[in-house]
Amino acid sequence: MKPSPELVEQFKRDGYIVAGQVLDSDTLAAARAAYDRIFAATEKPSSYRNLGQKEGEAQSAGAVLQIIDMHKLDDVFRRIMFQSNVLDLIEGLMGTPNIRLYHDQALYKPALHGDEVPWHQDNGYWHLEPADAMSLWIALDDVDEANGCMRFVPGSHKAGEVGHMRAGQYIAQLKADADESLAVPAPMPAGWGLVHHCRTLHNTKPNHTPRQRRAWVMHTMPSGTTQGGTVLEDRLVLRGG
Ligand SMILES: O=C(O)CCC(=O)C(=O)O
């Protein structure tokens, strides 16, 4: 899925694009089954946490359940990362054939009590240099605003890094200021993906619908990317070197 010149221009202008279908129906079914199995297991991986957890809450009311590096837990996620349509898309947008994984993650908003993810730039958390990382966010369920599809402020990646503060009582989340009136939702059917730049402001709303919202995200970066002055050379090479 090499992106057309128009799509590349759109990405440069808006800081995100909806890329269309990235998973065929068999792969979607396999990814859903692995996702459900991993979340249902009694022994959760050490990276499991609830981003909806708030300070002082014994039992969290809202849930955004996160598991980092699903590709280490089930091969289906590793296979998706190496799909040629996925890497052609990322290479076309990143402008380099040397692509590494920063990390991947499942972000699961259960039905009825899925919590919000506040406005942020990914690089407000990561501080990668150069800030050329980009994420492929894949919907494993049909997503719309009501069950927590991604929402963007188009063009916000051009303003550079903005300040982030702790998001209220949320233990693990940061928040940047964003003008809600500029938000554009990105509803998609299951199996579709979107790519966003690490400086594009985005958020997702709570999921109070009876529909779950399973998403899986690959955070990718050009080889040679640094963090705190150190080259992240231990990260998995997805393409090139
Ligand atoms: O899936 C979500 O609700 C938020 C995803 C997100 O923040 C990201 O992909 O960077």
Side-chain angles (χ1 to χ4, degrees), residues 107 109 117 120 122 137 150 196 202 204 213 217 219:
L107 289 168
K109 292 190 195 232
V117 172
H120 67 281
D122 288 343
W137 190 99
M150 291 282 275
H196 62 93
H202 58 283
T204 57
R213 195 227 66 179
V217 200
H219 301 292

Side-chain angles (χ1 to χ4, degrees), residues 49-115:
R49 61 179 178 165
N50 182 3
L51 301 180
Q53 180 76 43
K54 298 185 193 68
E55 222 161 38
E57 273 185 342
Q59 180 93 32
S60 178
V64 181
L65 305 178
Q66 178 192 50
I67 294 178
I68 306 272
D69 281 348
M70 296 284 277
H71 77 278
K72 294 181 179 164
L73 304 173
D74 196 289
D75 236 27
V76 67
F77 298 105
R78 179 176 281 265
R79 285 199 301 274
I80 297 170
M81 291 187 330
F82 285 96
Q83 281 184 195
S84 56
N85 63 334
V86 162
L87 292 174
D88 288 350
L89 173 67
I90 292 168
E91 177 175 339
L93 297 173
M94 208 176 258
T96 170
N98 299 316
I99 304 164
R100 286 185 190 235
L101 184 74
Y102 179 52
H103 64 265
D104 78 73
Q105 59 176 323
L107 289 168
Y108 173 35
K109 292 190 195 232
L112 304 175
H113 67 287
D115 215 335

